[in-house]
Amino acid sequence: LQKCNDRLADKELAIARFYAQRGAHGAARGRAEGLVKRYPDSDRVPTALAIAATSAHAWGDVAAAAALRGRLEADYPGAKELSG
């Protein structure tokens, strides 16, 4: 079951990255936050939080970006470099 969830999380992360690279920040944030909600135990969560924070900031939602970065730094201190 964990392997299946990891594959599904990978798919969501790939789609979030696709949208982020093309400037569709709302869609990227939605996919990334969806991954965090659906697969909270996945090791892809730190990357998804970083994408969501970057997309929120690019979309002009500075408060949400700060909250997402804060969560990333608090929950995954080793992944701090992802938030830049």
Side-chain angles (χ1 to χ4, degrees), residues 2 4 10 15-16 20-21 27-28 30-32 36 48 51 62 67 77 81:
Q2 187 61 42
C4 290
D10 282 339
I15 294 169
Q21 290 171 350
R31 286 289 183 156
V36 173
I51 290 171
V62 178
E81 63 275 1

Side-chain angles (χ1 to χ4, degrees), residues 13 16 20 25-34 36 45-59 61 64-66 68-69 72 82:
L13 195 56
H25 300 293
R29 181 178 171 190
R31 286 289 183 156
E33 288 179 349
V36 173
V45 169
T47 305
L49 286 171
I51 290 171
T54 302
S55 295
H57 189 268
W59 213 24
D61 194 351
L68 288 162
R69 280 201 171 93
L72 176 63
L82 291 173

Side-chain angles (χ1 to χ4, degrees), residues 1-46:
L1 184 60
Q2 187 61 42
K3 275 181 137 177
C4 290
N5 283 339
D6 286 344
R7 288 187 69 183
L8 291 169
D10 282 339
K11 177 192 71 101
E12 290 298 311
L13 195 56
I15 294 169
R17 283 183 175 137
F18 173 85
Y19 285 137
Q21 290 171 350
R22 280 147 185 83
H25 300 293
R29 181 178 171 190
R31 286 289 183 156
E33 288 179 349
L35 184 155
V36 173
K37 288 179 186 173
R38 276 186 235 110
Y39 311 106
D41 297 330
S42 174
D43 61 353
R44 282 79 169 165
V45 169

